[in-house]
C-alpha cells in the first residue's frame, strides 16, 4: 500500500523547503503549481479554452499565455477568476491523479501531492494524510517582506488573501513547525515518515 500525503501551507511558510526535503529523501512530489503551468501551454486543451474565454489579447508574441496580463484580469475580478479556475482546476486534478497512479503502480511507498489550496479547493480526499507546514504569523510576515521585498501592508494583504495558517493547522492530520531551523523541520519530517512506516 502506498501512502499519499497532501502537503500544504501558507505563503512564506516554507512549504517548498519541505517539498524539497521529501524529494531529497527519494519520495516523489507532484507539484500542483507546476502542473497548472503545464496544462495552459499551447497545444493543451485548457490553453484553447482559456484563449477562447479571455481573448487573444492575453497572449505573448510567441503564442504562450502572458501570465501577468491574465493575472491582472483575474485578480481584480472574482467572476473572471472563477471562470479560469473552472477551466484549469479539473485539468490539474486529472493530471495529478494520473501521476499519482503511475507512481503507485511503480511501487512507490509514498507519494506527496503538493497543493497550495488543499483545504480551500476541498481536495483532502485525494490524500491519506494531510500535512501543514506551519510558521507563526510574525515569522510569516517577516519572511515574506524579506523574500519579496514587500512593505508590511503588501505582505499583510497577501497573507490575508489566503486561509489563515492557524485554520489550516487545525484541519491538518499532522504539522511541521517551520518557525525554527531547517534542521529541526527536517527532523520533524523524518520522525513523521518513520511513524508512517515510510522509512526505517
Amino acid at each position: 500500500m502506498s501512502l499519499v500525503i497532501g502537503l500544504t501551507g501558507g505563503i512564506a511558510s516554507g512549504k517548498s523547503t519541505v517539498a524539497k526535503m521529501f524529494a531529497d529523501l527519494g519520495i516523489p512530489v507532484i507539484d500542483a503549481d507546476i502542473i497548472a503551468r503545464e496544462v495552459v501551454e499551447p497545444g493543451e486543451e485548457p490553453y484553447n479554452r482559456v484563449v477562447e474565454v479571455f481573448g487573444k489579447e492575453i497572449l505573448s508574441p510567441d503564442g504562450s499565455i502572458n501570465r501577468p496580463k491574465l493575472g491582472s484580469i483575474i485578480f481584480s475580478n472574482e467572476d473572471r477568476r472563477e471562470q479560469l479556475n473552472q477551466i484549469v482546476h479539473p485539468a490539474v486534478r486529472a493530471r495529478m491523479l494520473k501521476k499519482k497512479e503511475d507512481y503507485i503502480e511503480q511501487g512507490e511507498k509514498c507519494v506527496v501531492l503538493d497543493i497550495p489550496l488543499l483545504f480551500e479547493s476541498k481536495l483532502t480526499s485525494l490524500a491519506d494524510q494531510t500535512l501543514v507546514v506551519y510558521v507563526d504569523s510574525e515569522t510569516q510576515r517577516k519572511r515574506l517582506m524579506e523574500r519579496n521585498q514587500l512593505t508590511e501592508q503588501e505582505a499583510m494583504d497577501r497573507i490575508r488573501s489566503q486561509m489563515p495558517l492557524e485554520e489550516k493547522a487545525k484541519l491538518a492530520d499532522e504539522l511541521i513547525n517551520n518557525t525554527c531551523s531547517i534542521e529541526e523541520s527536517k527532523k520533524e519530517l523524518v520522525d513523521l515518515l518513520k511513524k508512517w512506516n515510510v522509512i526505517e
Side-chain angles (χ1 to χ4, degrees):
M1 270 299 287
S2 301
L3 177 74
V4 180
I5 298 170
L7 174 67
T8 195
I11 193 166
S13 69
K15 177 178 66 66
S16 305
T17 306
V18 173
K20 189 177 177 310
M21 289 176 191
F22 274 109
D24 290 345
L25 290 164
I27 295 167
V29 177
I30 303 169
D31 186 327
D33 281 347
I34 291 173
I35 293 177
R37 282 197 281 278
E38 288 172 359
V39 299
V40 291
E41 281 170 5
E44 298 278 353
E45 180 50 39
Y47 167 89
N48 300 334
R49 291 275 300 115
V50 170
V51 176
E52 215 174 276
V53 170
F54 291 91
K56 287 202 166 69
E57 56 273 14
I58 61 155
L59 297 180
S60 301
D62 66 358
S64 66
I65 289 173
N66 181 324
R67 299 178 76 82
K69 203 171 267 188
L70 180 59
S72 67
I73 295 170
I74 62 162
F75 283 124
S76 55
N77 186 323
E78 204 168 314
D79 292 340
R80 298 296 267 167
R81 187 161 66 236
E82 191 46 43
Q83 271 183 307
L84 181 68
N85 288 344
Q86 280 177 358
I87 298 168
V88 176
H89 284 178
V92 172
R93 200 168 306 154
R95 194 166 293 189
M96 287 191 90
L97 287 175
K98 170 81 177 76
K99 285 193 171 198
K100 178 181 91 166
E101 295 310 323
D102 288 348
Y103 281 127
I104 290 171
E105 270 174 37
Q106 289 161 24
E108 293 287 353
K109 278 181 80 171
C110 180
V111 180
V112 176
L113 303 178
D114 178 348
I115 308 176
L117 300 177
L118 182 72
F119 296 116
E120 294 91 328
S121 301
K122 301 186 172 34
L123 295 176
T124 51
S125 61
L126 303 183
D128 304 314
Q129 292 280 344
T130 55
L131 176 61
V132 165
V133 182
Y134 177 83
V135 288
D136 61 63
S137 52
E138 179 65 11
T139 306
Q140 186 182 24
R141 181 180 58 76
K142 274 190 189 152
R143 282 185 189 169
L144 184 57
M145 285 170 68
E146 279 167 28
R147 189 186 77 186
N148 293 30
Q149 309 292 296
L150 301 175
T151 65
E152 186 164 349
Q153 185 57 53
E154 287 168 333
M156 289 313 295
D157 285 347
R158 290 194 189 191
I159 289 167
R160 287 197 189 105
S161 75
Q162 299 185 331
M163 181 190 283
L165 257 177
E166 281 79 13
E167 231 168 280
K168 289 188 179 187
K170 284 179 196 148
L171 295 169
D173 294 317
E174 298 287 351
L175 284 183
I176 283 185
N177 188 340
N178 198 31
T179 304
C180 304
S181 69
I182 285 184
E183 287 70 33
E184 284 174 83
S185 299
K186 177 112 189 229
K187 186 185 177 305
E188 283 184 42
L189 177 61
V190 167
D191 288 346
L192 266 181
L193 290 171
K194 284 178 180 169
K195 175 177 144 183
W196 287 329
N197 297 318
V198 173
I199 56 177
E200 297 298 315

